[in-house]
Amino acid sequence: MSKTIKTLVALTAGACITALTGAQAVGQTTDSYPNRAIRIVVPFAPGGATDIIARVIGQKLSEQVGQPVVIDNKAGANGNIAAEYVAKALPDGYTILYNTSSMALSPALYKNLSYNVLTDFEPVILTSVVPLLLTVNPSVPAKNIEEFIALLKQNPDKYAYGSAGLGNITHLGSFLFLQELGLKATHVPYKGSAPSVVATVGGEVAFNMEPINVGLAFVRDNKLRALAVTTKSKSSVLPAVPTLNETVMPGFEIGAWQGVMAPARTPQPVVDYLNKQILKALASDDVKTRLSAQGAELLGSSPQEYAAYLKSELARWEKAISSSGVKQE
């Protein structure tokens, strides 16, 4: 046998062994999953709306499956850094993404995404939706939403607003609010809801449209003034705060939804196991109590329902972003 043929045979045998080993690894992963720590990658900074809910769910999930669940914050680029990381992770169920509505926004905002939302991930479950809360620094001379709109009309571009990042739902919520009412203000993006809200409390920016569970404590401590919520109905945690829908923007509704996704090609039994365990966590009394107290509305879905919802949101926001003119800066 020639040296070349021997080399080819050796390479072929090696490839077969690698393929068999990979298949065996997947089988072992499926049969014994989980047998070590699960990492939940969160695309925003610690203390933000996404991080808060991910940690509550992660803690309960750890109790249920008997393995550590580690929260790994990878903030930046409107969630794209975390999404790219998970898209390239081993599809074994040990690295999953706690994603937000930014997954439906990024394809319309970024021309050269390094991942495809529909082909690089396996939807696991839709977990919750969090209303956005329009708040201002107490130094802003407006006591209600009508006075605030009048103030912005009288002072175009004088005031700045914060967001959890360019193209984030918190950015687009404020942008659409300003656009529809013919108002002008300066956008200042931050790396997550928590630093954005802290900037509003500190007076770096005048107002913010943050997830209600991030701004709630500051409103109760009178460090922020709440002017409106973005859902069609009032929030149970701030029942005195009106909605934009019932005051100045009939029909306006927007929320920061969240879910869990795994890398594409994650074995279906693993996806189904995660779905079952997270559904169980969402149904538990302690998780419902902790998250409802923050204004989050718990959802829950099958992987198939989440996939269908994601497609509908991609279409919705592609249209909205195109018509709004918002672009990645």
Side-chain angles (χ1 to χ4, degrees), residues 64-88:
Q64 292 173 186
V65 305
Q67 295 292 342
V69 175
V70 180
I71 302 299
D72 185 1
N73 297 89
K74 293 188 180 298
N78 193 31
N80 291 332
I81 291 174
E84 179 181 359
Y85 180 85
V86 175
K88 294 179 179 179

Side-chain angles (χ1 to χ4, degrees), residues 105-135:
L105 308 179
S106 289
L109 289 165
Y110 297 85
K111 291 183 178 179
N112 300 307
L113 282 181
S114 60
Y115 62 88
N116 184 295
V117 175
L118 295 177
T119 61
D120 288 337
F121 298 94
E122 298 287 348
V124 175
I125 188 171
L126 189 62
T127 58
S128 67
V129 62
V130 182
L132 300 184
L133 181 67
L134 176 59
T135 62

Side-chain angles (χ1 to χ4, degrees), residues 41 80 107 176 242 266 277 282 302:
V41 180
N80 291 332
L176 294 174
T266 298
Q277 291 298 327
L282 293 174
S302 67

Side-chain angles (χ1 to χ4, degrees), residues 193-234:
S193 293
S196 177
V197 172
V198 169
T200 311
V201 172
E204 290 180 23
V205 292
F207 67 102
N208 204 312
M209 194 176 279
E210 74 272 355
I212 199 168
N213 59 337
V214 179
L216 184 60
F218 295 104
V219 171
R220 287 174 171 169
D221 289 342
N222 296 315
K223 294 180 179 179
L224 289 176
R225 182 182 302 127
L227 300 184
V229 293
T230 63
T231 43
K232 284 192 174 180
S233 301
K234 292 180 179 179

Side-chain angles (χ1 to χ4, degrees), residues 2-328:
S2 69
K3 183 177 181 181
T4 300
I5 293 176
K6 287 181 179 180
T7 301
L8 287 173
V9 170
L11 289 172
T12 301
C16 291
I17 291 171
T18 300
L20 287 171
T21 302
Q24 290 172 350
V26 170
Q28 291 170 357
T29 297
T30 302
D31 294 339
S32 60
Y33 181 84
N35 58 20
R36 55 187 171 88
I38 298 172
R39 181 193 303 185
I40 299 180
V41 180
V42 175
F44 299 104
T50 308
D51 179 75
I52 291 171
I53 296 180
R55 289 179 186 275
V56 172
I57 294 174
Q59 179 182 346
K60 192 65 178 180
L61 183 62
S62 176
E63 295 172 7
Q64 292 173 186
V65 305
Q67 295 292 342
V69 175
V70 180
I71 302 299
D72 185 1
N73 297 89
K74 293 188 180 298
N78 193 31
N80 291 332
I81 291 174
E84 179 181 359
Y85 180 85
V86 175
K88 294 179 179 179
L90 192 66
D92 56 6
Y94 289 100
T95 300
I96 57 179
L97 178 68
Y98 194 83
N99 69 284
T100 69
S101 46
S102 64
M103 289 292 283
L105 308 179
S106 289
L109 289 165
Y110 297 85
K111 291 183 178 179
N112 300 307
L113 282 181
S114 60
Y115 62 88
N116 184 295
V117 175
L118 295 177
T119 61
D120 288 337
F121 298 94
E122 298 287 348
V124 175
I125 188 171
L126 189 62
T127 58
S128 67
V129 62
V130 182
L132 300 184
L133 181 67
L134 176 59
T135 62
V136 297
N137 182 282
S139 65
V140 174
K143 303 301 182 183
N144 55 53
I145 188 63
E146 291 83 4
E147 290 182 4
F148 183 59
I149 291 172
L151 180 69
L152 293 182
K153 284 183 176 179
Q154 294 166 7
N155 301 276
D157 286 326
K158 176 181 178 180
Y159 293 97
Y161 65 96
S163 78
L166 182 70
N168 182 271
I169 193 77
T170 58
H171 171 211
L172 290 172
S174 292
F175 182 91
L176 294 174
F177 163 75
L178 295 168
Q179 183 188 57
E180 185 166 327
L181 297 174
L183 308 173
K184 292 184 178 181
T186 302
H187 176 222
V188 181
Y190 293 87
K191 290 186 176 181
S193 293
S196 177
V197 172
V198 169
T200 311
V201 172
E204 290 180 23
V205 292
F207 67 102
N208 204 312
M209 194 176 279
E210 74 272 355
I212 199 168
N213 59 337
V214 179
L216 184 60
F218 295 104
V219 171
R220 287 174 171 169
D221 289 342
N222 296 315
K223 294 180 179 179
L224 289 176
R225 182 182 302 127
L227 300 184
V229 293
T230 63
T231 43
K232 284 192 174 180
S233 301
K234 292 180 179 179
S235 170
S236 60
V237 294
L238 289 174
V241 179
T243 68
L244 289 173
N245 169 59
E246 68 184 347
T247 52
V248 296
M249 298 178 70
F252 186 84
E253 181 179 19
I254 194 172
W257 54 263
Q258 303 174 0
V260 175
M261 303 181 84
R265 297 175 297 281
T266 298
Q268 193 61 46
V270 172
V271 171
D272 292 340
Y273 179 85
L274 284 168
N275 176 270
K276 178 181 178 181
Q277 291 298 327
I278 297 173
L279 273 175
K280 182 179 178 181
L282 293 174
S284 64
D285 289 339
D286 52 340
V287 169
K288 286 194 292 186
T289 299
R290 291 174 67 184
L291 296 187
S292 295
Q294 300 179 48
E297 299 175 12
L298 301 186
L299 300 175
S301 72
S302 67
Q304 296 75 23
E305 289 169 337
Y306 186 21
Y309 180 77
L310 183 59
K311 288 180 180 179
S312 69
E313 283 291 279
L314 284 165
R316 173 195 180 193
W317 284 106
E318 181 180 13
K319 181 179 179 180
I321 291 171
S322 176
S323 62
S324 71
V326 178
K327 298 292 181 182
Q328 195 274 339

